[in-house]
């Protein structure tokens, strides 16, 4: 599949939900990661991303308005050595603990499944970006119900070795708006990555639906040195 414009892909979907992009910068010097969240309810929209060590956490923007925090407060990004873990839920911690014990990305996720938010059964999407010795590779996973049936789980893992310059893969939770929300289908979408971290960040943020977007995290990791640049954008400021 020919790589698509990330900006146009986002503009065509009013509600992709939560999304992960992993890949490599246009000049080949950096491994790239992005994670965004959206929301339709007041509870989902009442969030921000906040730095947490080398990673980030979601927090309530207005604590007095927070209702059920179980599926919306978590650490989307954690760093373990040369690995950057990015997910849409508390499986970030599952991956961190599993990788610490020597499990693979796929093995660590075997203990998890989709979210228990009937009738949506939101998929759990996860990414692992590895940068070491002047090289990078990454993997993406989606755990989802079998066509909305909560009795059956489908597990898909996609791995990308020696990724091309200026190309990433985009995976998200929902195929669009609806009730129930339709799950993402197919392989992660190949997308073009252009410009430096600020260009990349601004294009994503400006392309997300204005009413539904909540927060965005981006990171460029220099492949030769491991040095990181990070941006966080919150609608609630």
């Amino acid at each position: 599949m020919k790589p698509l414009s990330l900006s146009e892909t986002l503009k065509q979907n009013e509600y992709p939900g939560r999304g992960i992009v992993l890949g490599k910068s246009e000049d080949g010097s950096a491994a790239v990661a992005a994670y965004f969240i959206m929301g339709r309810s007041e509870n989902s929209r009442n969030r921000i991303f906040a730095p947490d060590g080398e990673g980030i956490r979601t927090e309530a923007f207005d604590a007095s308005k927070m209702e059920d925090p179980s599926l919306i407060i978590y650490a989307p990004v954690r760093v373990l050595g040369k690995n950057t873990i990015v997910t849409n839920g508390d499986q970030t911690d599952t991956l961190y603990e599993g990788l610490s014990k020597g499990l693979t990305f796929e093995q660590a996720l075997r203990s998890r499944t989709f979210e228990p938010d009937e009738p949506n059964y939101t998929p759990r999407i996860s990414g692992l970006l590895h940068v070491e010795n002047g090289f990078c590779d990454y993997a993406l996973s989606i755990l989802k119900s079998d066509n909305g049936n909560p009795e059956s789980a489908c597990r898909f893992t996609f791995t990308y070795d020696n990724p091309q310059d200026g190309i990433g893969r985009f995976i998200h939770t929902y195929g669009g708006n609806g009730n129930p929300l339709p799950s993402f289908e197919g392989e992660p979408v190949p997308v073009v990555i252009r410009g430096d971290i600020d260009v990349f960040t601004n294009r994503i943020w400006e392309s997300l639906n204005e009413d539904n977007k909540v927060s965005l995290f981006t990171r460029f990791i220099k492949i030769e040195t491991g040095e990181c640049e990070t941006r966080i954008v919150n609608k609630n400021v």
Side-chain angles (χ1 to χ4, degrees):
M1 181 179 179
K2 183 179 179 180
L4 304 177
S5 163
L6 178 57
S7 179
E8 291 305 313
T9 300
L10 289 169
K11 288 176 181 178
Q12 292 168 11
N13 188 341
E14 178 184 49
Y15 198 66
R18 287 163 274 173
I20 298 171
V21 180
L22 298 180
K24 203 172 181 183
S25 64
E26 185 176 11
D27 64 5
S29 69
V32 173
Y35 177 66
F36 65 78
I37 59 174
M38 308 182 79
R40 298 189 302 178
S41 68
E42 182 179 14
N43 195 43
S44 291
R45 291 176 176 180
N46 180 36
R47 289 183 289 174
I48 59 171
F49 284 166
D52 183 20
E54 294 180 285
I56 60 170
R57 295 195 66 82
T58 60
E59 294 182 354
F61 175 64
D62 183 343
S64 68
K65 294 181 179 179
M66 177 58 63
E67 297 173 6
D68 179 12
S70 61
L71 293 175
I72 63 173
I73 301 299
Y74 56 94
V77 178
R78 294 187 69 181
V79 175
L80 177 64
K82 307 296 184 181
N83 295 308
T84 300
I85 303 163
V86 186
T87 91
N88 72 324
D90 63 7
Q91 73 268 27
T92 310
D93 299 331
T94 303
L95 279 165
Y96 187 96
E97 292 163 8
L99 293 169
S100 298
K101 296 175 181 177
L103 298 180
T104 66
F105 178 66
E106 190 170 18
Q107 287 171 336
L109 286 169
R110 292 298 297 181
S111 64
R112 304 305 302 268
T113 185
F114 47 85
E115 295 182 359
D117 58 335
E118 184 182 2
N120 298 315
Y121 301 114
T122 298
R124 291 191 186 271
I125 55 172
S126 306
L128 183 67
L129 181 59
H130 182 80
V131 179
E132 188 171 12
N133 297 327
F135 294 94
C136 75
D137 55 69
Y138 63 92
L140 289 163
S141 164
I142 182 166
L143 311 178
K144 55 187 290 189
S145 68
D146 190 357
N147 198 31
N149 184 337
E151 301 301 319
S152 302
C154 300
R155 301 173 179 274
F156 303 94
T157 302
F158 306 88
T159 58
Y160 304 91
D161 295 336
N162 193 26
Q164 299 180 60
D165 296 352
I167 303 297
R169 291 302 194 282
F170 173 39
I171 193 167
H172 48 95
T173 52
Y174 306 127
N177 215 337
N179 191 17
L181 287 158
S183 291
F184 176 90
E185 295 183 357
E187 293 185 23
V189 179
V191 292
V192 176
I193 296 174
R194 291 287 180 262
D196 62 15
I197 189 171
D198 290 313
V199 170
F200 178 66
T201 302
N202 291 337
R203 282 180 176 166
I204 294 177
W205 187 248
E206 291 169 2
S207 301
L208 292 169
N209 180 271
E210 184 63 31
D211 293 332
N212 296 323
K213 66 184 179 183
V214 175
S215 296
L216 169 65
F217 159 92
T218 60
R219 176 167 290 171
F220 275 36
I221 305 169
K222 290 291 185 181
I223 295 173
E224 290 298 328
T225 66
E227 180 185 0
C228 295
E229 273 193 284
T230 300
R231 302 289 184 269
I232 294 175
V233 185
N234 291 310
K235 189 172 182 180
N236 294 314
V237 293

